[in-house]
Amino acid sequence: MMTNPQYNDRTPETHQDRFTGDVMVRDIVLQFPKSADYFKEQRIDFCCGGARPLADAAAERGLNTDEVIGALHKLLEEHPVLEEEKVWNHADSAALVEHIVTKHHGYLREELPRIGQNVTKVFRVHGGDSPHLAELYNLYNKLQDELLQHTAKEEASEFPKLLAYDANPSEQSRTEVQDLLQVLEGEHDGAGELLRQIRQITDDFTPPAHACTTYRLTYARLEELEGMTFEHVHLENNILFPRYQ
């Protein structure tokens, strides 16, 4: 079962010590979902890299831990946690799986080909004077193939195995489930690394001054894809999978 976060649910007015440097990044997002927006802005990984203390994550990004904690407390004062925001923490696994498939897998099936068309068009038109677009084209197509294969596998076999274990747990099926979770988390890490490389070669999704509308739109949609993938992986790595570990 998932371990409890390292702090209590108290009202915003009384928990100025709620966020500390030794709290895991993933636990902050689980208890305060709005913090995911802040972590995205600061490029702090809360999904694949969420199982580490906030202080370590801040240091990796060259950020002052106390300033990060202060920003989180300020955000919490401005956006108190609503009970419905934490619904997926407490939802049963079947409902969570349905949400992941409907929202996130559906998004990927619909958006990945569209973004791919834009990436291809920008590469063909601007690749001559922007050599990094060839690398972007290769990275994106690898990412698209891996994500579509990953989600199809989850729906066809891996998620049904998790739900079957819920209905009829046994030591044998538990071992099988834990093995498949290790594989899925490895695939998440792979997708996260490809997204990191894409962000790096696009200069944090910053189009050049001469970029046309399609060029700018492509970067914007890639950044949206990164954000959606972070949320997607967070739901699996930090909420669903720990129930079976």
Side-chain angles (χ1 to χ4, degrees):
M1 296 297 290
M2 185 163 51
T3 57
N4 291 327
Q6 301 177 37
Y7 46 82
N8 299 320
D9 274 336
R10 292 174 285 171
T11 59
E13 292 76 16
T14 62
H15 59 192
Q16 285 303 300
D17 61 341
R18 176 169 184 166
F19 306 123
T20 61
D22 60 352
V23 175
M24 295 292 180
V25 172
R26 67 180 180 189
D27 289 339
I28 294 174
V29 176
L30 287 173
Q31 292 300 308
F32 180 37
K34 185 66 177 176
S35 65
D37 294 337
Y38 173 76
F39 288 139
K40 288 176 188 176
E41 291 174 1
Q42 300 301 322
R43 293 172 55 197
I44 292 176
D45 183 358
F46 60 87
C47 52
C48 297
R52 57 179 173 171
L54 177 62
D56 291 354
E60 182 182 283
R61 295 290 306 128
L63 302 172
N64 180 282
T65 301
D66 289 339
E67 292 180 0
V68 170
I69 291 171
L72 288 169
H73 282 139
K74 185 174 185 297
L75 191 65
L76 182 58
E77 291 174 1
E78 296 171 350
H79 303 276
V81 179
L82 302 177
E83 187 60 33
E84 57 265 28
E85 288 182 311
K86 297 190 290 184
V87 63
W88 299 119
N89 298 5
H90 308 292
D92 64 57
S93 295
L96 178 55
V97 164
E98 182 179 3
H99 172 70
I100 291 169
V101 170
T102 301
K103 178 179 179 179
H104 292 286
H105 290 191
Y107 167 84
L108 291 174
R109 278 193 291 268
E110 183 174 340
E111 289 300 317
L112 284 172
R114 294 176 178 176
I115 299 172
Q117 290 174 358
N118 283 357
V119 169
T120 300
K121 182 176 181 180
V122 169
F123 166 53
R124 288 175 177 171
V125 174
H126 300 282
D129 55 20
S130 299
H132 74 281
L133 292 175
E135 186 177 2
L136 173 61
Y137 175 84
N138 291 330
L139 287 170
Y140 181 81
N141 279 283
K142 183 177 182 181
L143 175 67
Q144 177 175 243
D145 289 345
E146 290 188 4
L147 285 175
L148 290 177
Q149 291 173 16
H150 173 81
T151 54
K153 180 176 67 173
E154 283 187 331
E155 292 179 28
S157 63
E158 314 305 58
F159 284 167
K161 288 177 183 177
L162 295 182
L163 299 181
Y165 174 80
D166 283 341
N168 186 26
S170 69
E171 283 303 314
Q172 180 178 352
S173 58
R174 180 178 178 83
T175 299
E176 181 181 4
V177 162
Q178 291 180 336
D179 288 345
L180 73 85
L181 291 181
Q182 187 173 4
V183 172
L184 293 179
E185 288 180 348
E187 293 174 357
H188 290 167
D189 289 344
E193 174 59 21
L194 289 171
L195 285 167
R196 186 195 66 77
Q197 292 179 49
I198 288 173
R199 176 176 276 277
Q200 182 177 39
I201 67 171
T202 59
D203 191 22
D204 294 334
F205 304 111
T206 305
H210 67 270
C212 64
T213 299
T214 300
Y215 203 146
R216 294 177 184 277
L217 175 62
T218 300
Y219 274 31
R221 295 182 78 169
L222 285 169
E223 188 166 22
E224 178 187 62
L225 172 64
E226 180 194 66
M228 286 289 286
T229 303
F230 278 7
E231 180 183 338
H232 177 182
V233 173
H234 166 67
L235 290 173
E236 294 188 17
N237 278 17
N238 299 337
I239 299 180
L240 180 63
F241 295 173
R243 299 175 180 183
Y244 303 91
Q245 295 171 342

